[in-house]
Amino acid sequence: MTTRRVCFLLKVRSELAEEYRARHARVWPEMLDALRATGWTNYSLFLRPDGLLVGYLETEDFDRAREAMAATEVNARWQAEMGRYFEALDGAAPDEAMVPLREVFHLD
C-alpha cells in the first residue's frame, strides 16, 4: 500500500492561539503513542497568527487511521479538551472536522 499525504485546515480562535501552541508543546506521551500506533506518521501542525491551522500527515489509509484514533480513550480526552480552541466545528470534535484538501501538485 502507498503512503497518502493528507493536508487539512482548521481555524483556531485567534485569542487562544498562544495557549493552543503551548498545549502542543506538551502533548501527552500516551497521545503520541496512540497516534503512532494507529498509523499517523510525519504529522505536523502549522499555526498562523490569525489562527489558521494547517495540518499535514502521512498514512496508508486516512479513514482507517482516523477511526482507529477515535476508538482510543486518550483521543476522547484530548478532543474534549481541545474543542474549545476551534471555530466553526458545528458540534464535531476537532479530529472529525479535518477535511483533507485535494493535492494538486507534489515535487518528490
Side-chain angles (χ1 to χ4, degrees):
M1 189 168 241
T2 53
T3 299
R4 177 178 175 201
R5 292 180 298 277
V6 177
C7 184
F8 60 88
L9 302 175
L10 291 172
K11 183 71 167 76
V12 172
R13 296 178 190 284
S14 59
E15 68 273 14
L16 297 177
E18 284 305 314
E19 185 179 337
Y20 180 85
R21 190 181 334 273
R23 287 295 306 269
H24 280 82
R26 306 181 313 275
V27 176
W28 307 329
E30 63 268 32
M31 183 64 171
L32 299 174
D33 291 343
L35 286 163
R36 288 182 187 104
T38 57
W40 299 61
T41 62
N42 202 22
Y43 187 20
S44 297
L45 296 172
F46 302 88
L47 183 61
R48 210 166 62 178
D50 68 355
L52 178 67
L53 181 76
V54 178
Y56 175 86
L57 66 112
E58 296 173 355
T59 187
E60 289 184 4
D61 184 324
F62 182 58
D63 292 331
R64 187 172 16 153
R66 189 158 53 172
E67 288 170 13
M69 267 310 285
T72 67
E73 180 275 335
V74 68
N75 187 62
R77 285 189 291 123
W78 182 263
Q79 297 304 319
E81 289 195 18
M82 298 309 291
R84 71 181 201 84
Y85 292 96
F86 293 94
E87 295 180 9
L89 292 180
D90 298 324
D95 62 343
E96 295 169 344
M98 297 184 318
V99 177
L101 300 174
R102 182 174 170 209
E103 184 175 328
V104 295
F105 176 76
H106 175 75
L107 175 65
D108 216 3

